[in-house]
Amino acid sequence: MSTAVGAIVGSSLVSLYDGIGRQDREDILDCLSHAHAFASRYHDQRDDYSNWIFRYRTRLENRGCLLVSPIRHTPQVIFHPSELDAVTFNIIDSAGSRALASLAGAAWRSLKVNRHADRFFSNGSRDGELGRLQMVPCLSDSKGEVLILICAIRLTASVDTRDFDFWTDTRRDMLLRISGGVYHFDRAVYAGYREQIRMQLNANSDHAIKAFPI
């Protein structure tokens, strides 16, 4: 399966694969952009991410994204940058879930997160959030239905520094959290909101979707 179009929508990296028609592509990007703007109206991503992502997902569900199966992931402590390359996206089995998990893994590795992590493990000095993003691979299944994986990723840092008589010992680690799930994009439900969403997005001067070939 080859990637046709990539896009940055708010803080989401969206990848739209072959088989998704033009109307579906426009609708998916608009739906994601609308959910991002809606959640950001009530919560700041940086200061209140848990509530932000709850609003984001709830809005998507109310606009035609129906949850099929959730991601299963236990928060993972990372001690070395190379461990980030081995991250997997475990989804409860459903139609298309394995393909989407594979696409999410490929997108994750392409981000080269381990390079950024290397700087933290070398000289990071502060606790706190290192980064967060949503990866959203989308594909069309054998029946022509559109499936979307909403994959929310957060990395937070922990730095423990101890001073001894003749040296300082610093230990660093990261906590990786992955949440989300596979959604079925219900065209009929979304169609009832299409014009309203387009009008709202067109009226929003901050609205911008950056598309690029992959």
Side-chain angles (χ1 to χ4, degrees), residues 130-144:
L130 290 174
R132 65 206 166 344
L133 78 154
Q134 293 75 241
M135 291 195 310
V136 189
C138 312
L139 60 79
S140 180
D141 66 14
S142 59
K143 298 179 181 179

Side-chain angles (χ1 to χ4, degrees), residues 1-188:
M1 183 180 299
S2 59
T3 306
V5 176
I8 301 296
V9 181
S11 57
S12 297
L13 172 62
V14 184
S15 47
L16 298 150
Y17 286 80
D18 291 342
I20 297 180
R22 179 178 178 180
Q23 184 65 67
D24 285 334
R25 292 181 186 185
E26 291 178 357
D27 288 347
I28 290 168
L29 293 176
D30 283 350
C31 188
L32 293 170
S33 186
H34 169 71
H36 184 277
F38 178 80
S40 299
R41 189 187 311 164
Y42 296 95
H43 306 285
D44 183 271
Q45 270 188 283
R46 183 171 296 279
D47 297 331
D48 193 8
Y49 186 75
S50 295
N51 283 321
W52 185 93
I53 195 67
F54 174 79
R55 288 261 189 185
Y56 177 80
R57 290 179 188 155
T58 300
R59 195 62 168 182
L60 289 174
E61 291 168 6
N62 290 338
R63 294 298 183 268
C65 295
L66 310 177
L67 181 63
V68 176
S69 54
I71 289 175
R72 298 178 297 184
H73 183 265
T74 301
Q76 180 180 353
V77 180
I78 304 295
F79 296 101
H80 190 275
S82 62
E83 295 176 46
L84 291 168
D85 287 335
V87 169
T88 57
F89 298 84
N90 298 317
I91 307 169
I92 295 175
D93 279 345
S94 62
S97 63
R98 293 185 182 181
L100 284 166
S102 176
L103 296 174
W108 171 253
R109 289 188 292 273
S110 72
L111 292 174
K112 306 295 184 183
V113 178
N114 59 340
R115 294 182 182 178
H116 301 285
D118 187 59
R119 290 196 291 271
F120 164 74
F121 282 106
S122 297
N123 54 30
S125 59
R126 296 183 179 180
D127 294 340
E129 186 176 83
L130 290 174
R132 65 206 166 344
L133 78 154
Q134 293 75 241
M135 291 195 310
V136 189
C138 312
L139 60 79
S140 180
D141 66 14
S142 59
K143 298 179 181 179
E145 299 296 329
V146 174
L147 297 175
I148 301 173
L149 174 58
I150 306 294
C151 189
I153 301 171
R154 294 183 71 188
L155 274 171
T156 53
S158 176
V159 179
D160 181 19
T161 301
R162 299 182 181 183
D163 291 320
F164 297 94
D165 290 339
F166 301 105
W167 74 91
T168 298
D169 179 44
T170 300
R171 299 182 181 183
R172 302 177 179 90
D173 62 57
M174 296 178 174
L175 183 64
L176 173 68
R177 297 183 180 92
I178 302 175
S179 61
V182 176
Y183 292 79
H184 166 246
F185 185 68
D186 191 316
R187 297 180 177 97

